[in-house]
Amino acid sequence: MVIKQEFSLLKSVPNLLHLKSSDLNKYVIDNGPRKVFVVLTLNKNKIKHFTTEKVFNLITDLEKRKRVAVVNIPEYNLFVTYNVPTRQIVLNLSPFNTDDIYSTQPDPKDLYTQMVYGILFSELINERIKVKESYYVPISSFLLSFFMGLFGKEFGLLGTYSSNISKLNFLINCYVLSSFFGIKGLKSYRLASASSGFQYKEVENKLDSYNFSDIENFIKALSDFGVMTGIDKYSFTNKIFRVAGLNFLPALEDLSRFICIVTCISMKGSSLVPTYLSKYGGDSFLRIVEISKIMFK
């Protein structure tokens, strides 16, 4: 599994924090984990999800709660991250436009979603969960469905240029294999070809000029190969942002973030990510959620 250092679509926002304890404390909310415990406990009966046992096991244990830091970092626009030096899950209140935790702010459903995301993210980036390379198949399938829903009509993939769908599928597979799993070159082309049904030999001479571990190269390939002619980083990012929100963008660049956000999509009532995105991918969506179900057993 590849852990990205920063996000291109978010203009180099870091994936993880590297703050000394004294520097992190400048942003810490007093008694933050205790307040999370109080709010979520009051709303426990309203929460129905496979993650509840592990979440409440953590927040009710004083020692385990030390793994969580609740902060307000205005210059960091992601709602969850991990601070490497202190080994803490970081819940950032800044995206909620609040400087503390109250009974209804942030919304308890969003606060719970933060906890789920944070616990799962911590397990993934510390590699306590091993994501098998074979998961590139359902991940690529979900993204194909998602991209078809967002871009299919605009670029004629639902009509005149439907023959390009297999090529789009191939390029998505190449990107997922390289960017998420570190599988590059000929091996990735063969696997991507087998999954998509696209015969890569006809474009083999062009493929090596793209670094498919980089999303900007992937977007360029979508245009250069005639799948989404003229698309660039900015039009791509703006469309994703409008439809799926800011929190979805990191999921397109980092495997751990992708699994976390798909898990959040499976939770009803949270506003952090549109839950209607669960309509994409069909069984592939459910297979991805199975990764987090293993961790939350």
Side-chain angles (χ1 to χ4, degrees):
M1 181 174 72
V2 178
I3 300 171
K4 295 298 175 63
Q5 296 303 307
E6 60 184 27
F7 299 115
S8 174
L9 300 183
L10 293 176
K11 299 179 181 179
S12 301
V13 168
N15 188 8
L16 307 176
L17 297 182
H18 295 269
L19 298 175
K20 296 185 298 183
S21 179
S22 57
D23 292 330
L24 184 65
N25 285 339
K26 297 174 185 176
Y27 303 102
V28 165
I29 305 300
D30 290 340
N31 297 314
R34 165 70 182 173
K35 292 172 182 176
V36 171
F37 163 73
V38 171
V39 171
L40 294 188
T41 300
L42 289 172
N43 290 273
K44 187 174 183 180
N45 292 335
K46 300 176 184 177
I47 301 169
K48 307 295 181 185
H49 199 248
F50 64 81
T51 56
T52 52
E53 183 177 348
K54 192 150 189 170
V55 170
F56 282 96
N57 178 267
L58 188 152
I59 64 172
T60 56
D61 187 307
L62 290 175
E63 194 60 32
K64 290 180 180 178
R65 274 208 308 251
K66 294 177 182 177
R67 290 175 52 197
V68 180
V70 182
V71 304
N72 183 5
I73 308 179
E75 60 270 28
Y76 191 75
N77 55 6
L78 299 182
F79 70 104
V80 175
T81 187
Y82 183 85
N83 189 51
V84 177
T86 61
R87 300 180 182 180
Q88 286 177 297
I89 298 164
V90 177
L91 310 184
N92 186 21
L93 300 182
S94 179
F96 299 111
N97 296 313
T98 182
D99 58 1
D100 209 337
I101 294 174
Y102 305 97
S103 59
T104 59
Q105 190 179 11
D107 186 304
K109 293 187 183 71
D110 290 336
L111 196 59
Y112 182 80
T113 302
Q114 271 192 304
M115 280 298 304
V116 171
Y117 193 122
I119 293 170
L120 184 55
F121 188 58
S122 170
E123 296 293 300
L124 286 163
I125 61 103
N126 284 298
E127 297 189 277
R128 297 189 188 99
I129 303 173
K130 301 293 183 181
V131 183
K132 295 179 181 179
E133 292 176 355
S134 59
Y135 273 102
Y136 84 88
V137 177
I139 291 171
S140 298
S141 180
F142 173 84
L143 289 175
L144 175 64
S145 177
F146 179 63
F147 286 169
M148 286 294 295
L150 266 64
F151 301 107
K153 186 176 181 180
E154 179 181 354
F155 291 98
L157 297 170
L158 300 176
T160 307
Y161 300 104
S162 60
S163 59
N164 278 337
I165 294 175
S166 62
K167 190 187 295 185
L168 169 61
N169 195 6
F170 172 77
L171 293 174
I172 290 172
N173 274 269
C174 286
Y175 174 71
V176 169
L177 283 161
S178 182
S179 184
F180 287 5
F181 294 97
I183 300 173
K184 303 178 181 181
L186 187 59
K187 181 179 179 181
S188 71
Y189 306 154
R190 287 173 174 169
L191 288 171
S193 181
S195 298
S196 65
F198 178 76
Q199 300 303 313
Y200 74 94
K201 292 288 186 180
E202 61 186 83
V203 294
E204 186 176 9
N205 62 326
K206 299 179 182 178
L207 290 170
D208 287 337
S209 63
Y210 297 90
N211 173 14
F212 282 104
S213 64
D214 173 67
I215 196 163
E216 291 191 48
N217 268 242
F218 167 63
I219 295 168
K220 187 175 188 301
L222 291 176
S223 178
D224 292 351
F225 281 80
V227 176
M228 298 182 188
T229 304
I231 198 167
D232 57 23
K233 172 184 173 180
Y234 304 101
S235 56
F236 178 88
T237 303
N238 287 337
K239 187 66 172 284
I240 301 290
F241 176 79
R242 290 199 310 272
V243 173
L246 181 141
N247 293 321
F248 194 86
L249 290 172
L252 293 176
E253 297 191 57
D254 180 81
L255 176 58
S256 54
R257 297 258 180 196
F258 180 85
I259 294 170
C260 289
I261 211 72
V262 168
T263 303
C264 292
I265 291 170
S266 74
M267 301 167 64
K268 295 180 180 179
S270 173
S271 65
L272 293 174
V273 62
T275 55
Y276 71 80
L277 296 178
S278 62
K279 70 180 181 180
Y280 294 110
D283 289 343
S284 294
F285 175 84
L286 298 177
R287 281 195 63 196
I288 298 164
V289 174
E290 286 297 324
I291 299 172
S292 56
K293 282 187 175 181
I294 293 170
M295 200 286 292
F296 279 100
K297 278 184 178 179

